[in-house]
Amino acid sequence: MNSGARVALYCAWLALIVAVGWGVARHLKISSDLRDFVPPARSADQKLLLDEIGKGPGSRLLLLAISGAPRARLAELSRGLDDALAHDPGFAHVANGGSDLAEVASDLLPYRYLLSPTLDTHRFDAAYLRAQLQQRVEDLSSPAASLLEPWLRRDPTLETLKLAQLWAPQRQPKLADGVWFSERGEALLVAETRAAGFDPGAQAAAIASLQEHFAALPGAAGAKLAISGPGWFGVEASRNTRAEADRFGAITTVGFVIMLLLAYRSAVPVLVTALPLLSGAVVGFALLALVFGHAHGITVAFGFTLLGVAQEYPLRVFSHRRIGVDTATCVRELWPLLATAIASVCIAYLAFFASGVAGLQQLAVFTIGGLVTAGACTRWLLPRVVPPARRDMAATPGLATAWHFLARLPRPRWLPWLVAVAGCAVVVLAPGGFWQNDLSALTPIPTAELQRDARLRAALGAPDVRYLLVPRGCASSLRTTRWTGSNCPRATCPASRPSAHASPGCRIAAIWKHRCNRRCRICRSALACSRRSSPTWKPRARCRR
Amino acid sequence: MRVWHSVAVLIVSLLPGAAMAATPTQTMAESLLAALAKTPPVSTPFVQVSYRGVLARPLIVSGTLQWLGGDRMQRDIDKPFNETARIGDGELSVQRGGGEVHRMPLARAPQAGAMLAGFRALLGGDVAALQQDFTLTADGGTAHWVITLTPHTESLKRQLASIVIDGRDNEPRCLTVSDANGDSSITLVGAMAEQGLRSAAPLESALAARCRNPK
């Protein structure tokens, strides 16, 4: 094969890689949802946990603090940001303390009588309504009338207000100029993104849009916006990790090229060794696109690391070539060794496929496909593009000297024992705990940010995302279910009333249980009359009449 | 918004006597108000007529307003029901007919806080503090004068359209508070309150005319 044909084949190979790579890049979606790397849910509880981790309001909450300006300006900025986010489709809710009850509780308005305890003790009849309306007239002359007036038409017995009082956290941020402020004088806001909390890509978009809104506010130039919450941490972590990976990647690439140039004293290995690796990568991506339709960012990053093994295949060929021996012959002699290496690595990676975790399965498909392709390219394509060897690697100056030096080193029999004893001593005598159990030690988030998150969370009374409260039975379906006698969850509701001394979480759980229990009673008492009239639930008071 | 009414009513009721300036300008309002510094405690009877969109008839309450000094004030309603409302220590508390006392932080009603600050500034003779939230204008003569407070901060504007104080000679007579949503209330204080209303359901226009009537 003459050199012209080799160059032509090299170019054709490269063009094919570029063409396939371009086609794959157009079709393959790169996702960033970390739940791809969590085992699939097997029970309803696990499914709920996964859903809540990703999509629950706790994980979608961003805590915002604006500082660095006089209080009046901070309040204006808080209102401006509140207004901007309220119109941003990327955010489901935003609150800065200035919103009125109507905004917060309008979702609950249709269920006010189910949730509030009023009908436990009162009949909802004409006399009760008349007395309530009379009180409302008197309320209209009281100093608090402006808070009540918007509600009178829709909720004359003020059940929503009772619920708001019942559910209000014990600690709330103080209000100044109509918005929340922390003890340190920062204006506080809470924003709930529509994007899942553990989808760093979507969270990054939401946060970028949030920062744009803030920067566009008049007078925002001097003020500082601090963001916290799971979404922010996800974005920060991926940004830090990516920056570090890019830096180390660049260093190792340069080092690798220098090493190749030093070892082979020729540009050919540098130009050629990349081709089997790149071929493997594009085939791996193509398989991902065909099998899964998408790939996780972590799969891509980690897959490339695993695929790096393929770099070794062409290097082996280069290292074993001799002057006068055809490269194809050399590869053929090496092939049993290479094939064994490829097969054993592929078998190892098959274990990923059996894990059942989507992200790891993608990893297995990508790596195995890539390695097999890289091996095949080394075996059948590489010999046709490399020029014949002009130098025997064994003749590298200093190589023989180095080999002899290593061969002459003493090999005392006691050395392994010494190493073993030293190893055991390190294990036994090492200061500190042997196992690190603290998962937070794995986070790339600086401690200062974690502390700020805890501080803002405490100031805002925002939920702690570590705990998930699951009231069973009717509570979760209360919002959506039309209650009939048959779906009344009577067995699932433990009888308990909320205790004033319980922690906020327990208090809410107990309130839910209490409501749930009451709904069961209403369900049962409604059952008798619903059989006579309509199959759906009706208010108890009406049943009794 | 009632906090506004109460506080504003107090301000007016406590005006000792309007020192009239010759020209109907902002300076006139300033000189009027600057001369009003007063020593607590002071009290006045009041009659408040509220015209609200949700009510078919005007709501009439009457009783006594008191300024106890500092940020403390109290409004006692005697008719048609008993209610005591207090502002003090950053809290608003309302007790009706000897029943449960309802409390809420004044911070929940930031406008009330701002107003209270203005109120203290006013009784302390500090017109500049009042002008942080309001634009002051004045008009009329000794037989009938008017001071108008128009809010210029956004948070106040959302709730309040204006506060108008009518008076004669040394005596404030009426306070008209117009909410941003179109509701309004007219409060008679001092001698006007003692005279009482001439109708069980006075028309807003008739009552306003009575406030403006120099006789």
Side-chain angles (χ1 to χ4, degrees):
Chain A
M1 214 174 190
N2 63 30
S3 64
R6 278 198 294 269
V7 170
L9 185 61
Y10 178 86
C11 292
W13 188 359
L14 199 61
L16 187 66
I17 291 174
V18 171
V20 175
W22 182 73
V24 168
R26 286 190 55 187
H27 288 100
L28 188 68
K29 285 193 188 76
I30 304 290
S31 91
S32 50
D33 190 338
L34 288 176
R35 283 173 297 163
D36 276 356
F37 280 88
V38 177
R42 293 207 171 80
S43 69
D45 275 357
Q46 289 175 359
K47 186 173 183 311
L48 180 72
L49 181 67
L50 276 187
D51 279 353
E52 287 300 312
I53 283 176
K55 300 182 206 147
S59 66
R60 288 186 284 122
L61 225 49
L62 291 176
L63 314 177
L64 314 176
I66 309 173
S67 57
R71 203 176 70 179
R73 169 100 64 79
L74 291 180
E76 279 304 315
L77 288 172
S78 168
R79 274 190 284 274
L81 192 58
D82 179 80
D83 197 44
L85 294 183
H87 295 100
D88 187 325
F91 290 87
H93 284 112
V94 57
N96 68 347
S99 42
D100 68 15
L101 192 61
E103 232 172 86
V104 179
S106 56
D107 292 351
L108 289 174
L109 192 67
Y111 312 105
R112 57 198 180 279
Y113 290 108
L114 297 181
L115 296 169
S116 123
T118 305
L119 297 187
D120 283 355
T121 49
H122 294 92
R123 276 199 194 188
F124 197 75
D125 52 15
Y128 177 69
L129 189 59
R130 182 187 300 279
Q132 284 288 309
L133 287 174
Q134 186 53 45
Q135 278 192 33
R136 293 300 89 76
V137 171
E138 293 173 7
D139 285 340
L140 281 178
S141 70
S142 95
S146 62
L147 296 175
L148 304 181
E149 194 174 346
W151 286 93
L152 294 185
R153 287 188 179 89
R154 292 178 291 176
D155 188 11
T157 57
L158 296 183
E159 302 307 325
T160 324
L161 193 67
K162 288 174 197 162
L163 288 174
Q165 284 169 349
L166 206 60
W167 290 340
Q170 282 164 334
R171 283 194 58 190
Q172 292 188 51
K174 68 169 181 178
L175 276 170
D177 291 341
V179 301
W180 286 325
F181 272 90
S182 74
E183 294 297 322
R184 295 189 187 183
E186 307 147 301
L188 300 176
L189 294 96
V190 177
E192 186 186 332
T193 61
R194 286 199 198 279
F198 286 83
D199 185 344
Q203 285 288 335
I207 286 170
S209 131
L210 194 159
Q211 285 167 330
E212 264 172 40
H213 286 313
F214 182 73
L217 292 176
K224 186 169 162 286
L225 173 69
I227 308 173
S228 195
W232 169 256
F233 287 157
V235 171
E236 275 288 280
S238 63
R239 186 162 42 203
N240 291 350
T241 315
R242 178 162 305 167
E244 252 175 47
D246 285 350
R247 197 167 64 240
F248 286 124
I251 292 171
T252 50
T253 306
V254 170
F256 188 66
V257 169
I258 291 173
M259 190 191 79
L260 286 185
L261 289 174
L262 282 177
Y264 297 104
R265 283 167 292 153
S266 158
V268 172
V270 179
L271 292 175
V272 174
T273 51
L275 285 189
L277 185 71
L278 288 176
S279 308
V282 292
V283 169
F285 280 132
L287 284 174
L288 287 182
L290 285 177
V291 179
F292 297 98
H294 74 282
H296 197 285
I298 294 179
T299 305
V300 176
F302 196 34
F304 257 107
T305 312
L306 296 181
L307 200 60
V309 180
Q311 192 75 31
E312 186 192 317
Y313 307 156
L315 289 184
R316 268 176 199 274
V317 175
F318 281 110
S319 300
H320 284 84
R321 291 199 305 167
R322 282 178 174 66
I323 298 170
V325 179
D326 185 25
T327 308
T329 317
C330 174
V331 172
R332 206 178 304 125
E333 284 169 4
L334 260 179
W335 181 241
L337 178 73
L338 277 185
T340 313
I342 293 168
S344 57
V345 172
C346 287
I347 291 168
Y349 291 163
L350 265 182
F352 284 154
F353 201 81
S355 68
V357 177
L360 293 182
Q361 286 179 334
Q362 291 174 8
L363 195 60
V365 167
F366 177 79
T367 319
I368 293 173
L371 287 178
V372 170
T373 308
C377 288
T378 308
R379 170 69 182 82
W380 286 287
L381 271 178
L382 188 79
R384 294 169 206 277
V385 297
V386 263
R390 267 179 274 158
R391 194 181 291 124
D392 192 331
M393 285 304 122
T396 306
L399 195 62
T401 322
W403 194 90
H404 286 299
F405 169 75
L406 288 174
R408 276 201 305 272
L409 279 178
R411 296 188 178 88
R413 284 171 178 275
W414 47 264
L415 192 62
W417 296 104
L418 181 70
V419 171
V421 170
C424 291
V426 167
V427 169
V428 175
L429 302 175
F434 186 67
W435 292 112
Q436 169 69 273
N437 285 331
D438 185 6
L439 269 183
S440 64
L442 282 174
T443 176
I445 307 298
T447 321
E449 288 222 7
L450 294 175
Q451 282 169 349
R452 190 184 63 190
D453 187 68
R455 184 172 63 76
L456 292 180
R457 220 162 264 287
L460 278 162
D464 191 322
V465 288
R466 289 177 300 173
Y467 301 110
L468 179 66
L469 184 77
V470 186
R472 290 190 188 280
C474 55
S476 53
S477 46
L478 194 57
R479 278 168 287 174
T480 52
T481 311
R482 290 273 292 180
W483 293 96
T484 66
S486 58
N487 72 355
C488 174
R490 60 195 74 180
T492 52
C493 305
S496 64
R497 290 194 68 101
S499 149
H501 305 292
S503 72
C506 295
R507 215 150 45 92
I508 292 168
I511 290 168
W512 274 114
K513 277 182 190 168
H514 172 58
R515 298 283 152 272
C516 176
N517 200 36
R518 194 166 56 78
R519 286 291 310 113
C520 294
R521 286 207 313 273
I522 295 175
C523 268
R524 282 197 286 275
S525 62
L527 189 59
C529 56
S530 68
R531 280 197 188 118
R532 286 200 301 276
S533 50
S534 140
T536 52
W537 174 75
K538 290 188 171 184
R540 176 170 51 166
R542 196 168 157 192
C543 288
R544 281 183 182 165
R545 298 171 79 195
Chain B
M1 202 37 56
R2 293 305 105 166
V3 178
W4 273 103
H5 294 218
S6 326
V7 177
V9 164
L10 254 178
I11 295 170
V12 174
S13 59
L14 301 174
L15 301 182
M20 299 303 297
T23 48
T25 60
Q26 189 178 348
T27 326
M28 171 181 162
E30 284 173 25
S31 57
L32 247 173
L33 293 169
L36 300 180
K38 185 86 178 168
T39 315
V42 276
S43 73
T44 175
F46 79 94
V47 178
Q48 180 185 302
V49 186
S50 304
Y51 300 92
R52 312 194 73 92
V54 290
L55 295 178
R57 285 180 301 165
L59 175 65
I60 302 169
V61 295
S62 60
T64 316
L65 278 165
Q66 299 175 67
W67 177 43
L68 307 169
D71 66 348
R72 308 176 73 83
M73 58 172 289
Q74 181 169 334
R75 185 184 76 163
D76 294 294
I77 297 177
D78 311 325
K79 271 197 271 185
F81 51 89
N82 283 319
E83 183 192 270
T84 301
R86 291 188 183 88
I87 295 179
D89 301 327
E91 194 178 61
L92 167 69
S93 68
V94 180
Q95 183 181 28
R96 193 172 301 151
E100 193 185 344
V101 181
H102 296 280
R103 295 172 194 279
M104 71 168 74
L106 206 55
R108 277 274 157 215
Q111 302 87 351
M115 186 64 203
L116 196 64
F119 160 64
R120 293 177 69 179
L122 181 64
L123 289 171
D126 189 355
V127 178
L130 200 60
Q131 283 173 333
Q132 279 185 359
D133 290 324
F134 295 99
T135 308
L136 306 180
T137 54
D139 201 355
T142 44
H144 170 238
W145 50 261
V146 184
I147 302 176
T148 306
L149 287 78
T150 317
H152 54 67
T153 60
E154 279 308 313
S155 55
L156 282 177
K157 272 196 219 168
R158 250 178 270 151
Q159 306 248 356
L160 184 74
S162 68
I163 299 174
V164 178
I165 304 159
D166 290 277
R168 181 206 297 174
D169 297 331
N170 296 340
E171 185 191 356
R173 291 156 59 88
C174 300
L175 173 89
T176 307
V177 178
S178 305
D179 291 352
N181 66 1
D183 288 349
S184 64
S185 78
I186 299 179
T187 306
L188 315 181
V189 293
M192 280 282 276
E194 281 161 8
Q195 287 168 21
L197 296 170
R198 293 165 190 168
S199 155
L203 285 175
E204 190 175 358
S205 55
L207 202 56
R210 200 180 141 199
C211 289
R212 286 194 300 270
N213 188 353
K215 288 173 192 169

